[in-house]
Amino acid sequence: MIKMVVFDMAGTTVNEDNVVYKTLQQAINEKGFNFTLNEVLLEGAGKEKLQAIKSILNVFAEKEDDALAADIYQRFETLLTAAYDTQNILPQDNALAVFHALREKGIKVILNTGYNTATASSLIRKLGWTKGIDFDGLITATDVLKNRPHPDMILLAMQQFSVSNAAEVAKVGDSIIDIEEGKNAGCSITVGITTGAHTLQQLQTAHPSCIINNLSELLTLINN
């Protein structure tokens, strides 16, 4: 029996037209690179954003430079704050209806993200979501020492809400690393969704329990 569902944010429950990864692409390319958005998504999606920058530089430019990565990250945060001030941020289709349906069944709804806490909280405020009414908890990259694909964010959520068995937890996300995070935590259900960073074919390489196209499909899966 599922007692908790852990949802990724951008691309999974939040529709922000990939503004995070477009901004990440801009911040990196300002330093003289020419990465495509697809490359940024492929290597950076779902990761804590400083780690995403390091991974992108390492894989596509064969460059390891912590000072450069930190400089890009600082610029990224400035650009992202400005983008979110003007960007139209919407919930993914049926997100709130699914949250409420799960909570009515006594299932905890947790948001987790590779964002830092300040960014995630600002997104939630912009969406008008309320903790304790629309969702139960928020766990971000800044709450743990090890980020995705390590399971620490899910394990912390379990600890906070007294869920001792990871088999009672489902993880939903739009990237390969989301699925890996769920598997590493021992979740009995890992769900890929095609509304965000990675395509159906890319998600399939992570071998999730299933892949859905809309959050509403999750209710049938949980009910079964």
Side-chain angles (χ1 to χ4, degrees), residues 9-193:
M9 289 183 65
T12 301
T13 54
V14 181
N15 180 1
E16 37 79 278
D17 192 31
N18 273 334
V19 67
V20 170
Y21 298 105
K22 291 174 182 175
T23 305
L24 200 61
Q25 178 193 20
Q26 179 185 345
I28 296 172
N29 286 349
E30 282 182 358
K31 292 297 185 180
F33 300 99
N34 192 31
F35 298 128
T36 66
L37 181 60
N38 283 339
E39 287 172 329
V40 171
L41 287 168
L42 181 63
E43 189 57 34
K47 294 180 179 177
E48 185 274 327
K49 299 307 174 274
L50 177 58
Q51 183 56 51
I53 292 165
K54 290 179 179 179
S55 295
I56 292 161
L57 292 176
N58 186 37
V59 169
F60 296 117
E62 297 183 353
K63 192 174 187 67
E64 292 187 17
D65 186 331
D66 287 350
L68 174 62
D71 191 31
I72 292 170
Y73 179 75
Q74 235 178 3
R75 175 62 174 157
F76 160 73
E77 287 215 305
T78 300
L79 290 170
L80 187 64
T81 298
Y84 274 153
D85 283 342
T86 57
Q87 177 81 12
N88 189 24
I89 306 295
L90 299 169
Q92 289 286 7
D93 289 346
N94 300 308
L96 273 184
V98 169
F99 291 174
H100 293 168
L102 291 172
R103 296 186 79 244
E104 285 172 8
K105 294 176 180 291
I107 297 171
K108 298 297 182 184
V109 171
I110 307 300
L111 302 176
N112 89 329
T113 178
Y115 293 138
N116 60 34
T117 300
T119 301
S121 297
S122 70
L123 264 184
I124 289 169
R125 285 194 299 271
K126 196 160 187 177
L127 288 163
W129 292 353
T130 302
K131 185 177 178 180
I133 295 174
D134 300 311
F135 68 99
D136 294 289
L138 169 67
I139 305 292
T140 76
T142 45
D143 293 325
V144 295
L145 292 176
K146 294 181 179 179
N147 282 288
R148 298 168 177 158
H150 296 286
D152 296 33
M153 283 195 284
I154 294 176
L155 298 179
L156 179 58
M158 291 171 57
Q159 179 184 343
Q160 287 184 356
F161 289 92
S162 300
V163 177
S164 59
N165 184 359
E168 297 171 331
V169 180
K171 174 65 202 283
V172 186
D174 65 307
S175 67
I176 290 167
I177 204 167
D178 282 305
I179 296 163
E180 292 174 343
E181 175 193 26
K183 288 190 169 189
N184 289 337
C187 297
S188 60
I189 299 174
T190 53
V191 181
I193 188 166

